[in-house]
Amino acid sequence: MSQFSIKFLPDDHAVKVEEGTTIAEAARLADVFINNLCGGEGVCGKCRVQVIKGSAEAEDQAMALLSEEEIRNGYVLACQTEIHDDLEIMIPVESRAEESQIMTGEAGEVSEAERIPLVRKIYLELPEPTIDDNISDIERVNRELRRKIGWHSFGIPLHCLRALSEKLRSNDWKVTATVVRDIRGYRIQRIEPRDTTSQNYGIAVDVGTTTIVVQLVDIDSGKVIDVEGSLNRQARYGEDVISRMIFAAKKDGLPVMTEAVVENINELVEKICERQDIAGDQINAAVAAGNTTMSHFLLGLNPSAIRLDPYVPTADVYPHVLASDVGIKINPYGVLVTLPSVASYVGGDIVAGVMSCGIADSGQIMGLIDIGTNGEIAIGNNEWLVCCSASAGPAFEGGGTRCGMRAIKGAIEKVEINNGTVEYETVGNARPRGICGSGLIDCIYELVRNGIIGADGKFNRDSGDERLLLTDEIPQYIIAPAEESETGQDIVITESDIDNLIKSKGAVFAAIKCLVDYIGLGFDQIETLHVAGGFGNFLNIPKAIAIGLLPDMPREKIKFVGNSSLAGARMCLLSEAALEKCLNISRSMTNVELSNYKPFMDEYIAALFLPHTERRLFPSVKY
Amino acid sequence: MSQFSIKFLPDDHAVKVEEGTTIAEAARLADVFINNLCGGEGVCGKCRVQVIKGSAEAEDQAMALLSEEEIRNGYVLACQTEIHDDLEIMIPVESRAEESQIMTGEAGEVSEAERIPLVRKIYLELPEPTIDDNISDIERVNRELRRKIGWHSFGIPLHCLRALSEKLRSNDWKVTATVVRDIRGYRIQRIEPRDTTSQNYGIAVDVGTTTIVVQLVDIDSGKVIDVEGSLNRQARYGEDVISRMIFAAKKDGLPVMTEAVVENINELVEKICERQDIAGDQINAAVAAGNTTMSHFLLGLNPSAIRLDPYVPTADVYPHVLASDVGIKINPYGVLVTLPSVASYVGGDIVAGVMSCGIADSGQIMGLIDIGTNGEIAIGNNEWLVCCSASAGPAFEGGGTRCGMRAIKGAIEKVEINNGTVEYETVGNARPRGICGSGLIDCIYELVRNGIIGADGKFNRDSGDERLLLTDEIPQYIIAPAEESETGQDIVITESDIDNLIKSKGAVFAAIKCLVDYIGLGFDQIETLHVAGGFGNFLNIPKAIAIGLLPDMPREKIKFVGNSSLAGARMCLLSEAALEKCLNISRSMTNVELSNYKPFMDEYIAALFLPHTERRLFPSVKY
């Protein structure tokens, strides 16, 4: 087979590939990141690239997603275009991914009383054996551990036992035992010479669909030492969990997904360790929280059945494994705890969130909404917990819309429209490249408030607004004209974008409404509603209520909690009680499967309106 | 460095070695077995070989152990002689090892009521998930297991969980779960497609210092399918545990010992599997019983401190590990259970023996004597258990005596002397090559009964017996003259052999006596005394009493139990209750450390007489 040389611009990455490889695949091989929302199905149009040297032919499928001008200028869809020539390819700015503003975790404090960490270091000064006290070495260690932490049986792995005799005798019977709480009791994890109790680190990992965040925690003090985040590398195989599950179902797809997330975590850990001058070997535990699919990917479990009715995961409660069993580079005998899920679409991230917000400890009814590609909702108190999940689609994360993008540099995140004038703010105050979720919500609110669109989301075609373009088949509204933008093209919101966003907000709201109805509550009975998710950072709450995404509750009852999943994972590093709570939450929380819940479809249809077909649900909204 | 070619005869094994290598080391490299009782210290003289081509110089140290004639004929000690020339070496018959008659286990039956095996196979026909019953795959498996065997939590290893989704769905939800009782509860070990419950095998392994025996057991029926034994390959590094511990303490010595025993077991398993046409993969569990040092070697634990005051093992209770963790080739996820020890010189073999003889269940007081290189003694009932161990030396196993050998082909095992005529029988009715333990006991009894030696073990130099040679420095008695023997040399018992044997029997008897006194019993209060050990097969009980090795109890109260260690291991494969009993025995049995027990030395000295200095202890003995 012929080989061709491919060069990716502007960063000048080169790679040689076999004939017939797609451009997207070549980019992966060259370690060049190209957006890819649909998992290579050729339907999202986010992977367009410009062939500037050599010949490549755009597939028929791509035509609908590219303008005539783009096709003339050599634009193709990377995922659909096979290579039959040496090529130079320019990746346009909108197809590139850059570091976004990643939420790296808020509070969720562990009280002193609950501070029995997952992994403890215990310094032991053992009495030397005598003929009257010649119990075995391991029993000598266990006896002292029982005295110090009062527990009756300690398992020990073979590697540790093999080294024990020598370690005790060459260190004058002074050693530090690392003891880990495992799913069925305590276990010795390692024995180190002398007193190393001052070095006991753990990592909390938020394994998000879009971003991965690692926090380094000093287990003894409970302090967060450092944090590092990045886009989830799996995104190159599909933006949302569904496309990734489809990818994973292909031959050898699953190990690729697992490797992607594991390498991703390893890179973040390495960065932090280098910066803090800490040996990765001194990290004795990792706690990971993610949705059910991400948790499956992390552990290499097959997620195929999650995607299909009746939505069955391989596991909800995951075994505690050695970090090295999945390839995570902390101490090879360190433990990896993956927080338990409730169901296929309610994962360990929401369990961690419910725990860290204290919902399961509260005498009053509280709620948590975690908005991402899925909207996950939990409501309850210390007596009961109910949750559900609805597919919100990628609109709030910048997918499924013409100029949508993640909340990274150049994304329009705030919009105001007054008398035909549009004012906007971008992330990093850069020239605009597109619109992120919070900007889109603002847009819709401003468009409806100004009468440019109606409550049905359709443009008022007679408004005469200069920014409203009716020339294309789909009407669109210019938020930032070409001359202001980084891409040199108009940044617009189209009628079909608005339609998508209304569907997304409708799904989230319908899910909240169904869950509240299911319990037999009114919104007024919810004392506090926590809103979480990377998204939540940039969300204008009053506008989110005004478009009918969030329920019309008093503003002071709605609380931002940032990355509640990461906070929960960190708490589980620091407190056995927190981990126990997560297990209880995952076991006791009732999942309402909305696809099986008849009123959901009616509620969803009723919510496809701004703010809602039933105005009485949004009494404070005036437009 | 120069290399030399070495050829070993009679089997014509060749090897090339570096200058300075010892002949013993060259033999190991050529996989040729040469006797080696002292671990290469040059003191036992059992590794003499004849250099028939090339030049090799015997070391000074060897001179004392070789006769002048031997030295003239090119005999050297293999362990002491360095190679500086191409050599052809004849291994004389007495330095070769052949298969001995290995005791491959007697009874120890498990009652039906106690038949909950260590590893169970449970066939599951799971209901297919529906939207109303969409619990996770593993929870579906666990639910059915709880229904079938009533237990609440099943751990599962990651490899098993990773394959679960696919395995359930491609086999119509019909699978067989292998569930193993581990040290802290039940655990799923493997999930197989469809119904494989008819194939559930386990192996019981007796890891003896001298011999290793493997039994293949059908776990469901409890039947022994096959058995295979061999000499312990570790013997090439030293005959007794002490020499092997010394070898293991050398650089990289321990892994060599572990590999030797593991490969030994693997070969036996392979032989059996081939013969029975069973896949090794279908063997789901191994239970091993051995003395504390052998158990340490098997698991790769450092035994160094066992040997030295205050005699501390790394562990008494061993973790259950994966067979593959130590390299045993059964199912790689099969469990290896090593039976717990009591102390450094009272191992899992004696615990298994006590369990299999039913001593710990008995209302009456019983005893067990397991005679090997160590004599191990346990006494007790269902309320208390006491044990001790005494170094008997290698005399009963054929070491430490001029013509001593193991109970293999050609060994004199029975002797009678009447009016100057010696009659003997050999193992396999072959021409005699030496005398094994039972033969030596007979010799001593016959010599003293005929007045050829006195009660002090010294030859009556005035007896005028033709077979008594007083020409050498050490007097000796000819059992088989050169013309009858395979070796072409007289087979003799010397005064110093007799001295060694009296020391050995003295140590064993003193240990029994001390233990009985320690408890405050008389021998008459012991209802049954079990005698075990490879040795026991050939032991003439009345003669063993008459020389003062065993106490003077009614003959019907002394029972042969054969290989009680192997029987115990097999019972633990078949019954959780048996394994639990072993744990309880190891925890509750009180070990009397004889090296620390003051009366022992007096008892030992008192026992250095035939039958004993206190004749009243042996009222039935008449000579």
Side-chain angles (χ1 to χ4, degrees):
Chain A
M1 259 187 140
S2 312
Q3 276 217 331
F4 294 106
S5 298
I6 311 299
K7 189 192 270 182
F8 289 98
L9 300 174
D11 290 337
D12 212 17
H13 284 104
V15 69
K16 279 193 194 275
V17 297
E18 303 287 342
E19 175 153 25
T21 308
T22 64
I23 294 176
E25 186 51 34
R28 254 169 239 152
L29 296 170
D31 221 26
V32 168
F33 198 101
I34 299 179
N35 276 330
N36 169 13
L37 294 196
C38 65
E41 302 284 311
V43 296
C44 75
K46 293 296 174 195
C47 65
R48 58 184 165 224
V49 296
Q50 190 182 9
V51 177
I52 55 179
K53 211 184 243 176
S55 142
E57 211 163 303
E59 305 282 310
D60 289 353
Q61 201 176 353
M63 297 304 159
L65 291 152
L66 298 167
S67 70
E68 271 183 32
E69 197 192 329
E70 282 175 329
I71 292 168
R72 255 198 321 277
N73 287 329
Y75 277 78
V76 296
L77 295 186
C79 73
Q80 296 299 312
T81 310
E82 293 186 351
I83 291 166
H84 301 280
D85 194 4
D86 291 342
L87 302 178
E88 256 184 56
I89 293 165
M90 170 61 78
I91 304 168
V93 68
E94 66 273 18
S95 295
R96 265 177 251 158
E98 287 182 19
E99 293 300 285
S100 63
Q101 296 179 333
I102 292 160
M103 295 217 57
T104 45
E106 291 306 312
E109 290 301 319
V110 175
S111 71
E112 265 316 306
E114 294 194 332
R115 277 289 304 286
I116 298 177
L118 176 64
V119 171
R120 278 191 267 182
K121 279 197 166 185
I122 321 277
Y123 176 57
L124 307 172
E125 292 193 353
L126 301 171
E128 218 169 306
T130 64
I131 196 74
D132 296 316
D133 174 28
N134 63 356
I135 55 172
S136 69
D137 291 343
I138 182 60
E139 187 44 30
R140 187 169 305 274
V141 169
N142 286 346
R143 182 175 66 183
E144 197 65 16
L145 282 174
R146 280 195 294 271
R147 279 183 194 151
K148 292 220 168 184
I149 62 174
W151 187 269
H152 263 271
S153 171
F154 296 86
I156 184 165
L158 190 57
H159 73 94
C160 217
L161 198 56
R162 283 181 167 172
L164 186 62
S165 170
E166 161 70 9
K167 221 163 246 176
L168 293 177
R169 287 171 180 77
S170 60
N171 293 291
D172 202 20
W173 302 88
K174 295 180 179 65
V175 293
T176 300
T178 304
V179 175
V180 61
R181 171 73 183 269
D182 99 357
I183 211 154
R184 288 177 298 167
Y186 285 92
R187 181 169 58 76
I188 293 173
Q189 178 179 304
R190 67 192 296 196
I191 304 274
E192 290 171 287
R194 306 283 162 168
D195 187 353
T196 65
T197 49
S198 65
Q199 299 185 299
N200 189 15
Y201 303 105
I203 52 170
V205 187
D206 174 34
V207 191
T209 308
T210 306
T211 57
I212 295 186
V213 185
V214 172
Q215 255 183 3
L216 179 72
V217 180
D218 179 334
I219 291 181
D220 282 320
S221 68
K223 295 245 161 61
V224 175
I225 297 177
D226 202 345
V227 64
E228 186 70 52
S230 76
L231 294 172
N232 185 334
R233 277 197 184 190
Q234 290 179 331
R236 63 181 68 174
Y237 307 104
E239 196 81 353
D240 58 71
V241 289
I242 299 290
S243 354
R244 291 185 207 169
M245 281 192 265
I246 293 170
F247 183 94
K250 294 176 189 168
K251 191 172 168 307
D252 298 329
L254 177 55
V256 169
M257 295 308 262
T258 297
E259 204 185 308
V261 64
V262 167
E263 278 192 8
N264 210 154
I265 293 170
N266 284 342
E267 273 176 21
L268 297 173
V269 173
E270 208 178 307
K271 263 191 201 171
I272 292 177
C273 283
E274 228 176 270
R275 197 154 59 208
Q276 298 297 331
D277 197 19
I278 282 173
D281 190 61
Q282 283 302 339
I283 301 174
N284 289 308
V287 177
N291 65 47
T292 308
T293 305
M294 292 308 303
S295 300
H296 275 57
F297 282 145
L298 176 63
L299 292 171
L301 308 181
N302 187 338
S304 301
I306 290 179
R307 184 165 68 86
L308 308 164
D309 187 341
Y311 319 112
V312 178
T314 293
D316 289 325
V317 177
Y318 309 100
H320 294 192
V321 300
L322 295 184
S324 53
D325 282 345
V326 299
I328 289 183
K329 289 181 183 154
I330 58 171
N331 183 286
Y333 300 106
V335 69
L336 166 64
V337 174
T338 307
L339 294 183
S341 309
V342 177
S344 277
Y345 290 103
V346 182
D349 48 356
I350 200 87
V351 168
V354 166
M355 189 275 292
S356 71
C357 292
I359 297 177
D361 301 321
S362 163
Q364 295 180 315
I365 296 169
M366 293 186 178
L368 170 66
I369 306 181
D370 196 343
I371 302 174
T373 309
N374 274 318
E376 287 142 348
I377 296 132
I379 297 178
N381 59 20
N382 54 12
E383 294 184 343
W384 53 267
L385 287 164
V386 175
C387 66
C388 70
S389 164
S391 171
F396 292 124
E397 295 190 292
T401 51
R402 176 83 64 94
C403 296
M405 67 181 289
R406 292 201 204 93
I408 58 178
K409 203 176 157 195
I412 294 173
E413 56 173 349
K414 286 183 188 169
V415 178
E416 243 188 78
I417 305 177
N418 288 305
N419 306 320
T421 313
V422 177
E423 286 176 46
Y424 58 81
E425 286 179 21
T426 63
V427 176
N429 290 318
R431 282 169 75 95
R433 292 168 53 196
I435 315 171
C436 70
S438 52
L440 289 167
I441 287 169
D442 280 15
C443 282
I444 290 177
Y445 171 73
E446 297 294 330
L447 289 172
V448 70
R449 188 175 63 84
N450 283 276
I452 302 162
I453 60 172
D456 59 356
K458 302 294 175 212
F459 282 108
N460 179 351
R461 283 153 210 246
D462 311 323
S463 71
D465 194 314
E466 281 184 355
R467 288 173 175 257
L468 179 61
L469 302 181
L470 297 167
T471 46
D472 261 28
E473 198 183 325
I474 301 166
Q476 48 193 269
Y477 188 87
I478 298 170
I479 302 294
E483 60 270 21
E484 291 174 12
S485 83
E486 174 76 15
T487 59
Q489 302 197 340
D490 288 340
I491 292 172
V492 300
I493 182 165
T494 72
E495 201 169 76
S496 96
D497 292 349
I498 295 167
D499 193 48
N500 272 341
L501 284 158
I502 289 176
K503 282 178 184 159
S504 291
K505 77 95 191 170
V508 172
F509 183 79
I512 305 172
K513 180 71 169 38
C514 282
L515 200 62
V516 168
D517 287 352
Y518 179 87
I519 314 160
L521 285 183
F523 287 119
D524 55 337
Q525 286 170 280
I526 298 176
E527 200 49 37
T528 310
L529 183 64
H530 302 88
V531 180
F535 178 84
N537 251 355
F538 315 104
L539 189 65
N540 180 318
I541 287 281
K543 291 185 183 178
I545 294 173
I547 69 161
L549 168 62
L550 296 178
D552 193 358
M553 287 168 59
R555 308 305 182 258
E556 71 277 9
K557 288 191 165 185
I558 299 182
K559 254 197 197 172
F560 289 110
V561 290
N563 192 335
S564 63
S565 161
L566 186 63
R570 184 180 63 245
M571 288 170 75
C572 290
L573 265 181
L574 299 177
S575 159
E576 288 180 354
L579 186 54
E580 198 62 39
K581 278 181 201 170
C582 283
L583 266 170
N584 288 337
I585 291 168
S586 86
R587 284 196 196 110
S588 63
M589 191 142 67
T590 306
N591 178 46
V592 179
E593 197 69 70
L594 292 182
S595 57
N596 196 34
Y597 184 69
K598 297 210 169 54
F600 178 72
M601 194 43 75
D602 293 338
E603 286 294 349
Y604 171 62
I605 289 166
L608 296 179
F609 218 70
L610 297 170
H612 198 276
T613 47
E614 287 193 61
R615 278 306 291 236
R616 62 169 185 82
L617 288 171
F618 290 85
S620 81
V621 176
K622 314 277 178 229
Y623 55 74
Chain B
M1 257 186 144
S2 311
Q3 275 217 331
F4 295 106
S5 297
I6 311 300
K7 189 192 272 185
F8 289 98
L9 299 173
D11 289 336
D12 210 18
H13 283 104
V15 68
K16 280 195 193 276
V17 298
E18 302 287 341
E19 174 152 25
T21 307
T22 65
I23 293 176
E25 184 54 30
R28 254 170 238 152
L29 295 171
D31 221 26
V32 167
F33 198 100
I34 299 179
N35 276 331
N36 170 15
L37 294 196
C38 65
E41 303 284 312
V43 296
C44 74
K46 293 297 175 195
C47 65
R48 56 183 165 225
V49 296
Q50 188 182 10
V51 178
I52 55 179
K53 211 183 244 178
S55 141
E57 211 163 301
E59 304 283 309
D60 289 353
Q61 199 175 354
M63 298 305 161
L65 291 152
L66 298 167
S67 69
E68 272 183 33
E69 196 191 331
E70 282 176 331
I71 292 168
R72 256 199 319 279
N73 288 329
Y75 279 76
V76 296
L77 295 186
C79 73
Q80 296 299 313
T81 310
E82 292 187 353
I83 292 166
H84 301 281
D85 194 3
D86 291 340
L87 301 178
E88 256 183 57
I89 293 167
M90 171 61 79
I91 304 170
V93 68
E94 67 272 21
S95 295
R96 267 177 250 159
E98 287 182 19
E99 293 301 285
S100 63
Q101 297 180 331
I102 291 159
M103 293 218 58
T104 46
E106 291 307 311
E109 289 301 317
V110 175
S111 71
E112 265 315 307
E114 292 193 333
R115 276 288 305 285
I116 299 177
L118 176 64
V119 170
R120 278 190 268 182
K121 278 197 167 185
I122 321 278
Y123 176 57
L124 307 172
E125 293 193 351
L126 301 171
E128 216 168 308
T130 64
I131 195 76
D132 297 316
D133 174 29
N134 63 357
I135 56 172
S136 70
D137 291 343
I138 182 59
E139 187 44 30
R140 187 169 304 273
V141 169
N142 286 347
R143 183 175 66 184
E144 197 65 17
L145 283 175
R146 280 194 295 270
R147 279 184 194 150
K148 293 218 168 185
I149 62 174
W151 187 271
H152 263 270
S153 172
F154 296 87
I156 183 165
L158 191 57
H159 73 93
C160 216
L161 198 55
R162 283 181 169 172
L164 186 62
S165 170
E166 163 70 9
K167 221 163 244 175
L168 294 178
R169 286 172 181 78
S170 59
N171 293 291
D172 203 19
W173 301 88
K174 295 179 178 65
V175 293
T176 300
T178 304
V179 175
V180 61
R181 171 73 183 270
D182 100 356
I183 211 154
R184 286 178 299 166
Y186 285 92
R187 182 168 57 76
I188 294 172
Q189 177 176 303
R190 68 193 296 199
I191 303 274
E192 289 171 287
R194 307 282 161 166
D195 187 352
T196 65
T197 48
S198 64
Q199 299 185 299
N200 190 15
Y201 303 106
I203 51 172
V205 187
D206 174 34
V207 192
T209 307
T210 306
T211 57
I212 295 186
V213 185
V214 172
Q215 255 183 3
L216 178 71
V217 180
D218 179 335
I219 291 180
D220 282 319
S221 69
K223 295 243 161 62
V224 174
I225 298 177
D226 203 346
V227 63
E228 185 72 51
S230 76
L231 294 172
N232 187 335
R233 279 198 184 188
Q234 290 179 331
R236 64 180 68 174
Y237 307 104
E239 195 82 354
D240 59 70
V241 291
I242 299 290
S243 354
R244 293 186 207 169
M245 282 192 267
I246 292 170
F247 183 94
K250 294 176 187 166
K251 192 172 167 307
D252 299 328
L254 178 55
V256 169
M257 294 310 260
T258 297
E259 204 185 307
V261 65
V262 166
E263 277 191 10
N264 211 152
I265 293 170
N266 285 341
E267 273 175 22
L268 297 173
V269 173
E270 208 178 310
K271 262 191 202 171
I272 293 178
C273 284
E274 228 176 89
R275 197 155 57 209
Q276 299 296 332
D277 196 21
I278 282 172
D281 189 62
Q282 284 303 336
I283 301 174
N284 290 309
V287 177
N291 64 47
T292 308
T293 305
M294 292 308 302
S295 300
H296 276 57
F297 282 146
L298 176 63
L299 292 171
L301 308 181
N302 187 340
S304 302
I306 290 179
R307 184 165 68 87
L308 308 164
D309 187 340
Y311 320 113
V312 178
T314 294
D316 289 325
V317 178
Y318 308 100
H320 295 193
V321 301
L322 295 185
S324 53
D325 282 346
V326 299
I328 289 184
K329 289 180 183 156
I330 58 171
N331 183 286
Y333 300 106
V335 68
L336 166 65
V337 174
T338 307
L339 294 183
S341 310
V342 176
S344 277
Y345 290 102
V346 183
D349 47 357
I350 199 86
V351 168
V354 167
M355 191 276 293
S356 71
C357 293
I359 297 176
D361 302 321
S362 163
Q364 296 180 314
I365 295 170
M366 294 187 176
L368 171 66
I369 305 182
D370 196 343
I371 302 175
T373 309
N374 273 319
E376 288 141 347
I377 296 131
I379 297 178
N381 58 20
N382 55 11
E383 292 184 343
W384 54 267
L385 287 164
V386 175
C387 65
C388 70
S389 164
S391 172
F396 291 124
E397 296 188 293
T401 52
R402 175 82 64 93
C403 296
M405 67 182 289
R406 291 202 205 94
I408 58 177
K409 205 176 157 195
I412 293 173
E413 56 174 350
K414 286 184 189 168
V415 177
E416 243 188 78
I417 305 177
N418 288 304
N419 306 320
T421 312
V422 177
E423 284 174 48
Y424 58 82
E425 285 178 22
T426 62
V427 176
N429 291 318
R431 282 168 77 91
R433 292 168 53 196
I435 314 171
C436 70
S438 53
L440 289 167
I441 287 169
D442 279 15
C443 282
I444 290 176
Y445 171 73
E446 297 295 331
L447 289 171
V448 71
R449 188 173 64 83
N450 284 276
I452 303 163
I453 60 172
D456 59 356
K458 302 292 176 214
F459 281 107
N460 178 353
R461 284 153 212 245
D462 313 323
S463 70
D465 194 313
E466 283 184 353
R467 290 175 175 254
L468 179 60
L469 303 180
L470 297 167
T471 45
D472 261 30
E473 195 181 329
I474 300 166
Q476 50 195 264
Y477 188 87
I478 298 170
I479 302 295
E483 60 271 24
E484 291 174 14
S485 82
E486 174 76 16
T487 58
Q489 301 198 341
D490 288 342
I491 292 172
V492 300
I493 182 164
T494 71
E495 202 169 74
S496 99
D497 293 347
I498 294 166
D499 194 46
N500 272 342
L501 283 157
I502 289 177
K503 282 180 185 156
S504 291
K505 77 95 191 169
V508 172
F509 183 80
I512 304 172
K513 180 72 169 41
C514 282
L515 201 61
V516 168
D517 287 352
Y518 179 87
I519 314 160
L521 286 182
F523 287 119
D524 56 338
Q525 286 170 279
I526 297 176
E527 200 48 39
T528 312
L529 183 63
H530 302 88
V531 180
F535 178 84
N537 251 353
F538 315 105
L539 188 66
N540 181 318
I541 287 282
K543 292 186 182 177
I545 293 172
I547 69 162
L549 168 62
L550 296 179
D552 193 0
M553 287 169 58
R555 309 303 182 257
E556 71 278 9
K557 287 191 168 186
I558 300 183
K559 252 197 198 174
F560 290 110
V561 291
N563 192 334
S564 63
S565 161
L566 186 63
R570 184 180 62 245
M571 287 171 76
C572 290
L573 265 181
L574 299 177
S575 159
E576 288 180 354
L579 186 54
E580 198 61 39
K581 278 181 201 169
C582 284
L583 266 169
N584 288 337
I585 290 168
S586 86
R587 285 194 195 109
S588 63
M589 191 142 69
T590 306
N591 178 47
V592 180
E593 197 69 71
L594 292 183
S595 58
N596 196 34
Y597 184 70
K598 298 211 169 54
F600 178 74
M601 194 42 76
D602 292 339
E603 286 293 348
Y604 171 63
I605 289 165
L608 295 179
F609 218 69
L610 296 170
H612 197 276
T613 48
E614 288 193 60
R615 276 307 290 238
R616 60 166 187 86
L617 287 172
F618 290 85
S620 81
V621 176
K622 315 275 178 234
Y623 57 76

